[in-house]
Amino acid sequence: PVSWPRRAWDNVGNTVMLLQYELQQLDVLSQDSQVRAQMSNPPQPHGNEESPSLYRWLAAAVGTAYPSIGELEAQAGPWKTIAKGIQVLRQLGMAWAIEMGGTDGPDDTPVTKSIKATLLCLAPDELKPSLLAVVMAVDGRVGDLAATLMQLETALAGARPRAIRAAKGQHSKGQAGGEQEKGELRVPRKVLWLDLLQAGVPREEINGKPTTDLYKRWMWLPAAKRSTGSEGDKGVDRSKPVEPSAPPTEWQLPRPY
């Protein structure tokens, strides 16, 4: 029910003046039956204005239909991103603006303990540690907290790429050379193990060995016996039977022509 007054505020509905009969004609636009019932016979907003604004009329109708602030706060749902969290925050601010008579908008509403608790309760678990200190430290208005959350979103977005680069850097330190790093990333351990086994390497010499050692030994195999080349060559079809290699023959001088 607070979404309509919030949209009216965001679209300068506080400057659109309506008479009571004009508001009654808008009741069909409300999807909430309780608000629609109030708009059919709208209560007079607080103040002495003869023609209150559209925003003031809507706030009064919603406030009469939902006199409890808890009912309005309960309309907010869980959120996953900070951008969505800012929308939920402004929704909670709108609920309190209605509770206080609809003279101000959601951004000018003071951040109450209830707003803080509800926003944190609906937040995703992975963001709660970062949000806790930020939200609890704010002692101003909803618009101020929204701006702080935007800054937090920017900070978290900048930290993710650095964390990814750091993780990749630590992974690279464990590799023995650029060629080996490329090979380990492209060749799964299972492929290394099977190729070595089919090439005649005894099972006890490869079982339990580090992937780095398997890769070094795999690179000494002839290219025809490697399912995946170090440059990402197309792997063979393992569903086809592998022909046994020919027995080794003694080396001979080339025959003269």
Side-chain angles (χ1 to χ4, degrees):
V2 300
S3 60
W4 196 0
R6 179 177 54 81
R7 290 197 304 269
W9 176 268
D10 292 342
N11 290 277
V12 202
N14 200 39
T15 63
V16 178
M17 302 303 174
L18 292 179
L19 298 175
Q20 182 171 348
Y21 82 91
E22 294 176 316
L23 182 69
Q24 290 174 322
Q25 296 177 1
L26 299 178
D27 63 347
V28 294
L29 300 178
S30 177
Q31 298 179 353
D32 187 286
S33 59
Q34 293 178 251
V35 176
R36 188 164 57 246
Q38 292 299 326
M39 290 181 63
S40 63
N41 186 23
Q44 181 71 26
H46 297 290
N48 298 320
E49 298 178 72
E50 294 183 0
S51 299
S53 65
L54 171 62
Y55 168 71
R56 294 282 307 280
W57 277 119
L58 294 178
V62 173
T64 304
Y66 294 89
S68 169
I69 184 62
E71 292 181 280
L72 293 177
E73 285 187 321
Q75 303 296 322
W79 52 276
K80 295 297 183 182
T81 65
I82 291 183
K84 181 63 176 178
I86 293 174
Q87 296 180 17
V88 172
L89 171 63
R90 296 189 74 242
Q91 182 177 346
L92 295 173
M94 187 73 257
W96 278 90
I98 292 173
E99 175 72 10
M100 292 185 292
T103 55
D104 294 319
D107 300 318
D108 295 324
T109 302
V111 179
T112 64
K113 293 181 179 179
S114 179
I115 289 178
K116 294 179 180 181
T118 304
L119 183 66
L120 290 173
C121 181
L122 298 175
D125 292 339
E126 60 270 18
L127 288 179
K128 285 181 179 178
S130 300
L131 288 168
L132 184 60
V134 172
V135 174
M136 298 308 294
V138 171
D139 187 18
R141 301 185 180 277
V142 167
D144 301 328
L145 178 54
T148 303
L149 292 180
M150 291 180 187
Q151 295 175 359
L152 176 62
E153 182 181 32
T154 302
L156 292 177
R160 289 191 193 100
R162 288 197 296 272
I164 292 173
R165 287 195 295 269
K168 288 184 177 180
Q170 294 173 2
H171 180 72
S172 299
K173 291 179 182 178
Q175 310 292 345
E179 182 181 3
Q180 179 180 341
E181 180 181 349
K182 178 185 288 186
E184 288 189 2
L185 290 175
R186 291 178 178 269
V187 186
R189 177 182 175 88
K190 181 178 180 180
V191 173
L192 299 175
W193 190 86
L194 289 175
D195 284 354
L196 290 171
L197 195 64
Q198 291 189 5
V201 179
R203 186 185 297 265
E204 59 269 16
E205 294 183 16
I206 58 177
N207 278 349
K209 298 295 182 180
T211 304
T212 304
D213 295 342
L214 296 184
Y215 175 79
K216 290 178 180 179
R217 193 157 187 173
W218 181 81
M219 286 296 293
W220 284 98
L221 295 178
K225 294 186 178 181
R226 299 202 300 261
S227 297
T228 307
S230 60
E231 296 302 323
D233 299 335
K234 185 177 180 181
V236 299
D237 185 0
R238 289 194 171 274
S239 62
K240 299 179 181 179
V242 180
E243 297 181 1
S245 57
T249 58
E250 296 183 0
W251 182 83
Q252 297 180 356
L253 289 172
R255 299 175 63 180
Y257 291 94

